[in-house]
Amino acid sequence: YRLTGIIRRGESATIFAALDTYLVGLDPRGQRLAIKVLAAEMSRQPDRVQTFLAAFVRLRSLSHPNIVRVYDVDRHGDQVFLTMELLVGMTLSEAFKKDPDRFSSLEYAQQLIQSVGSGIAYAHCRGVVHGNIHPDNVFIVDGGGVRVLGFGSLLPESEATGGYASREVLAGQAADERDDLFALAGVAYHLLSGRHPCSDRSARNAPAGLAQSQW
C-alpha cells in the first residue's frame, strides 16, 4: 500500500487515503482504499489491540449498502491497521455545520434516517450492536449514499462526546439494541428539527431542563 494523504486523525487511530499497488494497471477507482492505523500507544496495549481486532471481525461479518466495508487487517512491525472502503464526502456532523440547508427537505431527511436505520437493523439481525451512533459516525457519500461508521469504536468517555448516548451507556453499561435506537432517535430529531434534542446536553443531564411533556 502507498499512503497518499491523511483523511482523519483521532486519539485512537489515524485514517489514511492509500493506493493498493498490487492493482496498478487496473481501473484506478479499484486501487483506492482507506487504511485505519491504530495509534502507537494503543498498539502497545494488548487489550486495546484485541478490542480493535474484535471490532474488525464484527464489521467484516456485515455486508450492507449502508455500512462501511472493511477488507483486511494486518500488522507492520508494531503498527496494527485495517484496510477499508475509501469514502468521499462528509460526515453528518460536518454537514450540519457546512450545509444545514440541505436538510430542509423533509423527504431528504427521512431518506437519510431510513438509510441509517436500515444499516443498524441489518447489524442487529446479525447480533452486532453499534454502541456509538452519532453524527460523526454517519457519512454522506458524494454522489449519493449513506454509510454508518464506527462499529466497535470506543464508547463515549464524557458528557461532551456522549450527546446522543443513553444514560445506561454513559454510566458504563454495555450497549444493546435499545441504546442504538435511543441514539438513532436523537440523530433523527436533530435532522428533522435542526437542533440537538436536549440542547447539546447529554441524556444524563437533560431531564433537569425539560418540561414533563418534552421528556
Side-chain angles (χ1 to χ4, degrees):
Y1 303 111
R2 186 169 78 246
L3 305 182
T4 59
I6 294 177
I7 298 174
R8 193 176 305 276
R9 190 187 299 274
E11 293 183 6
S12 62
T14 300
I15 301 178
F16 296 89
L19 292 176
D20 188 337
T21 60
Y22 284 110
L23 299 178
V24 170
L26 300 178
D27 185 342
R29 292 173 297 180
Q31 299 174 27
R32 296 194 291 266
L33 73 162
I35 297 182
K36 184 174 184 177
V37 181
L38 197 62
E41 182 180 349
M42 303 290 184
S43 296
R44 291 191 288 269
Q45 301 178 42
D47 57 331
R48 292 297 183 97
V49 173
Q50 285 302 114
T51 298
F52 185 77
L53 297 178
F56 167 77
V57 170
R58 290 195 296 271
L59 187 51
R60 187 174 59 176
S61 72
L62 305 177
S63 178
H64 190 276
N66 297 123
I67 297 177
V68 63
R69 296 191 299 273
V70 300
Y71 304 132
D72 201 2
V73 66
D74 208 338
R75 184 187 295 269
H76 178 73
D78 292 334
Q79 292 181 312
V80 179
F81 66 92
L82 64 84
T83 57
M84 59 196 297
E85 175 184 15
L86 178 64
L87 301 174
V88 179
M90 66 178 70
T91 66
L92 181 56
S93 185
E94 292 168 337
F96 280 148
K97 297 176 183 177
K98 295 180 180 179
D99 189 16
D101 290 341
R102 73 190 299 176
F103 306 112
S104 60
S105 166
L106 178 60
E107 181 180 4
Y108 178 75
Q110 288 176 324
Q111 289 175 349
L112 199 154
I113 295 166
Q114 185 175 22
S115 295
V116 176
S118 179
I120 296 299
Y122 171 88
H124 288 177
C125 287
R126 283 150 184 78
V128 177
V129 173
H130 188 286
N132 191 14
I133 298 172
H134 186 280
D136 284 341
N137 284 327
V138 175
F139 196 93
I140 303 172
V141 182
D142 285 353
V146 176
R147 301 285 194 281
V148 179
L149 317 175
F151 278 88
S153 60
L154 296 179
L155 298 182
E157 297 178 353
S158 68
E159 303 294 309
T161 58
Y164 296 83
S166 69
R167 290 181 177 186
E168 290 76 13
V169 167
L170 289 172
Q173 296 181 26
D176 63 26
E177 291 88 346
R178 295 168 297 178
D179 300 296
D180 280 352
L181 182 58
F182 182 96
L184 177 57
V187 172
Y189 185 103
H190 195 157
L191 273 168
L192 295 171
S193 70
R195 62 184 186 276
H196 186 280
C198 303
S199 301
D200 292 322
R201 293 192 299 271
S202 75
R204 196 198 306 270
N205 298 324
L210 295 181
Q212 183 62 36
S213 59
Q214 292 174 308
W215 180 241

